[in-house]
Structures are given as structure tokens and as C-alpha cells.
Amino acid sequence: MSAGSNRILRWAVLAIALLLQPVLAHAQGVQRAEVYEYGTYVSDGGVEVGTTRQGIVRSQTPGIRQIESTRTVIAQLGAEFGFRYKLIGSRPGALVPITIVAKFPPPGVLGRTSPVPILRDDYMQVTTTGKEDFLTWTFEMRSDLVPGTWTFELWSGGKKLTEQSFEVILPPTS
């Protein structure tokens, strides 16, 4: 097979997987997401794994440690916030595709390659029912420091599993 044929085959498999996402999620019996911790965190470092549709860098880290249980986050470079969750389903250990949606307050945040502010972004990832997992955001660029309500949603099979909101505020002035 030629390199072009391989590329077309990979894209076809990805397209089929995306079309089957609602069916697979429903078949695996994802009932809900149990959020059991939220607030500010420190991570063990991250590895870039790609970008979202809008060009926001996605990273994965092997672990996080909670600093404070809060829904109010001070906008400062290096600050990390989010939540820990577990997908509850009829088959613990089943692989399930989920869609993660991020909603940012106006004027929005900037992606790596986009000069246009982003108010909403999403991406898909595969996770496991019954496994403890987490979703965090780290303020890495000055353009991330946007005060207002930041909302993160987890979706599976066309059903919203959870919505978590955080109020980002500017640091106090001296």
C-alpha cells in the first residue's frame, strides 16, 4: 500500500470511530460522571499530545495534587485548576470516547496558531469507566488570564455527563 493509501485508510477509520462515538458510548452504558474533587492543583509536569480544533494545546500529565478546594481561581501564570472525576457505567473498565467542551468568558483565549479569540472549544478523548481521571487547565500565556466564568463539560453519546464552572478573578492589586 502506498503512503497516500495508508493516510486515506487512517482518516476513514477515524471518521467511522467519530460517527460511532454515540453508539459506542451508549453500548458501554455510561450513566454519569461523578465529580469528587475540584479546585486548584499542581501537576507532575505535562507532555504535549496535540491541539484542539481551535488550536489550543492539549497536554497530559501523570498526576496532580490538590492545593485548595475552591471554585474561585486567581488569574496568574502557572495557576492550574479543574476537577477529578470518575465515569460511572454498567461495565467498569470499558473504554469510552468522551467529548470535552471548554467555554471561556469574553473576550476569549487565544490558541497557539489563531489570532482570533476562542469562546468555545472541544476535543474527543478515550477514557475508562470506573477509573479516576481529571481535567485541568493551566494558565500558560498572558492571553489565558481572562476573568469571568470558565465552564468545562464532559459529554458521552450526546448526553452531558457533568458541567463544572470556575470563577476566574484578577489578582488583588497592592
Side-chain angles (χ1 to χ4, degrees), residues 127-156:
T127 191
T128 306
T129 56
K131 174 185 157 247
E132 295 181 355
D133 212 338
F134 57 90
L135 172 71
T136 59
W137 177 279
T138 304
F139 294 125
E140 295 179 343
M141 303 184 304
R142 288 222 173 274
S143 60
D144 291 344
L145 305 178
V146 180
T149 303
W150 290 55
T151 302
F152 302 99
E153 301 171 348
L154 301 181
W155 289 77
S156 181

Side-chain angles (χ1 to χ4, degrees), residues 4 10-11 21 24 29 38 47 68 81 89 102 117 123 137 155 168:
R10 276 185 266 149
W11 279 108
Q21 177 187 0
L24 291 172
Y38 59 87
V47 176
E68 180 183 12
F81 65 100
Y123 62 93
W137 177 279
W155 289 77
V168 174

Side-chain angles (χ1 to χ4, degrees), residues 101-124:
V101 176
K103 296 178 180 177
F104 310 105
V109 299
L110 296 178
R112 176 180 278 173
T113 58
S114 173
V116 178
I118 300 163
L119 293 172
R120 183 191 184 282
D121 200 2
D122 66 90
Y123 62 93
M124 189 185 89

Side-chain angles (χ1 to χ4, degrees), residues 46-114:
V47 176
E48 187 175 316
V49 295
T51 57
T52 64
R53 292 181 205 216
Q54 301 289 333
I56 294 175
V57 174
R58 290 184 48 225
S59 297
Q60 288 185 337
T61 181
I64 58 173
R65 182 175 46 84
Q66 188 180 45
I67 297 171
E68 180 183 12
S69 180
T70 182
R71 293 221 180 258
T72 302
V73 179
I74 297 174
Q76 56 191 2
L77 292 176
E80 187 170 1
F81 65 100
F83 59 98
R84 290 184 193 260
Y85 67 94
K86 182 172 22 175
L87 295 182
I88 307 300
S90 57
R91 287 190 43 217
L95 291 177
V96 184
I98 62 171
T99 300
I100 297 173
V101 176
K103 296 178 180 177
F104 310 105
V109 299
L110 296 178
R112 176 180 278 173
T113 58
S114 173

